[in-house]
Amino acid sequence: MESSRRIYRGSVKRKPACSEAYQPPWQACQGAFMKLACIGPLRPSRTGVADFTENLLPFLADRCEIELFTDGYAPSESPISQRFPVGDIGEFIRSAFRFDGVLYQMGNHYRYHRAVFEALVRVPGVVMLHDCVLNQFFGKYALERGNFGTFRNLFELCYGRQTAESELASFWNAHGDPYRFPMAGAIARCSRGTIVMSEYGKDIVLQEARETPVLKVNFPYFGGPGAPAPVNDFRRKFNVPEGAFIVASMGHMTPAKRIHVAVDAFQELSAKYSNSLFLLAGETSSRYPVIDRIRRGSFPNVVYLGYLTKSELDALMAVADVCINLRYPSTGEMSNALIDMLGCGKVVVVSNHAQFTEFPDDVCIKINLGPRERDDLASELLKLASDDARRSSVGEAARSYIASEHSPEAAAEAISQFIAEHSRSEPLLSPGAMKVLLAPDAPMKRYKQAFAYNRKRFSSFFNEYGLAHTMRTAIERMRARTNAKSPKACG
């Protein structure tokens, strides 16, 4: 057995200093297994990046010897944590010399990815970008450190001094548009290579870091034959009647998911088909009051189910007749829920925008943005409700396309080869240069900047949502930050 898995560990005489660019000893050779460190969030963190990582690991394990590192908490008792060694990110930084390659899983959620970014700065590796709009991540990173100089330096790195001087004032006033200035280049420049899952995301990275190596892989579909979804239990628990026409939306509910448009369009369907139900599942954003209105029963036949377990999500997908996955603006990410819906042969309605334009037209229903978005969506829902043959045809085209183009084996092979090819590539920006960019401002300047920014942000939030909602949100965020610092919060 050992001969079929020849593991080459290399030889290292010393541990490199954190300010030096770490050079892995491993070189790609036929039949060799590289020792790979995977850094990022794991379950039970409620983030799609954790789900993606744990789903991909078994396929990477056929090609690499893997150790996992996450941010200061014990992962859930799952087959993944029992199969792979799991350590803290700080431990990885101290022992990075043991590994032949490093794969970082990077998203835009500050709480889950702050430590990932800090490890990347100290020990460069290949980064898998799950979101390509990282402006708000860096904004929070600067605020947490009380250091607007960090944000200014990274912004200037991506767009130049002239653009920084003309645009940064809007961010100081809490009115900047993060989608105009994604800042993915800051991550790409301190990595050995960048992996994205859409051509749209690839373009964002290359616009800000033209010389960086970039690999685009299709988001893998991890579904397939398995235990039957507990449909009957699901129907009983959530009071979903047999024979109802089910429209479903799954994932983190933020304003960009355009749930308000979908709910408005569904009202037209509900008026004609009284047995129709719109079921929503996933975490919610405090910045999205439409979910509160749904909870209060403001919309007939629209039900928010909350955060569901994996088996409950499978059951929801099984009973759904049509799924809605709108998105604007886009951060360049590919939706795990969308790939699952298509892979299951569901009819999915998407926004005809950004990465979703990359799907063939016969695989999903595309809705144009603009003044007719709501009307076009309502029209498509009415057509789909009355046309079983069309739903079947679109669903089968989706299933076939995902099966042929979104293989996890192909993704794992491409990722492992890319890491092997670039394990010795020099980052565009050395760890020493990044350390200078992240250097803090003088203490008094930091305090003044943080106070001015938060005062303006609080005022903007108060004017939009009122005092009660603003105070409730502030308290919830303080509690979330406190819980995040406690190891018990995540397991």
Side-chain angles (χ1 to χ4, degrees), residues 102-326:
V102 185
L103 177 62
Y104 292 95
Q105 301 288 352
M106 184 72 197
N108 62 7
H109 195 297
Y110 176 75
R111 176 154 54 99
Y112 295 130
H113 298 284
R114 176 192 56 81
V116 178
F117 170 64
E118 291 178 339
L120 170 67
V121 169
R122 300 180 70 179
V123 184
V126 170
V127 176
M128 193 155 198
L129 268 183
H130 293 262
D131 300 284
C132 295
V133 176
L134 295 160
N135 186 298
Q136 292 174 320
F137 170 85
F138 288 119
K140 291 181 180 179
Y141 185 80
L143 279 173
E144 183 80 8
R145 294 158 59 94
N147 180 18
F148 278 80
T150 292
F151 187 85
R152 180 186 61 246
N153 293 340
L154 294 175
F155 193 96
E156 189 174 309
L157 174 70
C158 295
Y159 307 108
R161 179 169 298 177
Q162 184 175 351
T163 301
E165 290 176 352
S166 63
E167 297 290 344
L168 278 177
S170 62
F171 288 98
W172 302 156
N173 292 320
H175 294 300
D177 181 0
Y179 297 95
R180 283 185 60 207
F181 303 102
M183 297 180 69
I187 295 292
R189 287 172 181 271
C190 56
S191 71
R192 298 185 185 277
T194 306
I195 303 172
V196 295
M197 286 180 279
S198 69
E199 292 294 340
Y200 180 78
K202 182 177 179 179
D203 289 344
I204 289 176
V205 172
L206 290 177
Q207 284 172 11
E208 299 181 358
R210 293 180 182 176
E211 301 85 2
T212 193
V214 182
L215 169 70
K216 182 259 179 178
V217 296
N218 287 338
F219 194 113
Y221 172 56
F222 299 110
V231 170
N232 292 333
D233 292 342
F234 176 83
R235 288 188 183 277
R236 282 193 296 269
K237 179 175 179 178
F238 295 106
N239 195 27
V240 179
E242 294 275 0
F245 185 83
I246 305 298
V247 179
S249 185
M250 294 158 253
H252 193 187
M253 304 291 171
T254 66
K257 301 294 181 66
R258 308 191 69 73
I259 299 300
H260 57 290
V261 175
V263 168
D264 197 19
F266 175 79
Q267 299 308 302
E268 198 165 321
L269 176 72
S270 180
K272 185 171 182 179
Y273 296 94
S274 59
N275 68 331
S276 58
L277 279 176
F278 188 7
L279 304 180
L280 300 102
E283 294 270 41
T284 65
S285 168
S286 60
R287 297 178 292 112
Y288 205 19
V290 70
I291 301 299
D292 289 334
R293 294 181 62 195
I294 292 171
R295 285 192 180 110
R296 292 195 298 267
S298 301
F299 303 100
N301 293 354
V302 180
V303 181
Y304 173 62
L305 305 178
Y307 186 85
L308 302 185
T309 65
K310 179 63 168 64
S311 63
E312 289 170 341
L313 275 175
D314 291 343
L316 174 56
M317 210 169 297
V319 303
D321 296 287
V322 175
C323 297
I324 296 178
N325 196 274
L326 304 180

Side-chain angles (χ1 to χ4, degrees), residues 221 248-251 281 313 316-317 320 322-327 335-350 363 395 398-399 402:
Y221 172 56
S249 185
M250 294 158 253
L313 275 175
L316 174 56
M317 210 169 297
V322 175
C323 297
I324 296 178
N325 196 274
L326 304 180
R327 193 160 309 192
S335 166
N336 190 359
L338 172 60
I339 299 301
D340 282 349
M341 295 169 192
L342 295 173
C344 288
K346 294 298 175 180
V347 179
V348 187
V349 183
V350 301
V363 164
R399 189 198 313 273
I402 295 298

Side-chain angles (χ1 to χ4, degrees), residues 197-201 216 354-360 366 401:
M197 286 180 279
S198 69
E199 292 294 340
Y200 180 78
K216 182 259 179 178
Q355 65 271 29
F356 304 113
T357 64
E358 298 170 25
F359 289 103
K366 298 176 182 177
Y401 175 78

Side-chain angles (χ1 to χ4, degrees), residues 399-410:
R399 189 198 313 273
S400 176
Y401 175 78
I402 295 298
S404 65
E405 301 296 330
H406 289 254
S407 158
E409 291 86 0

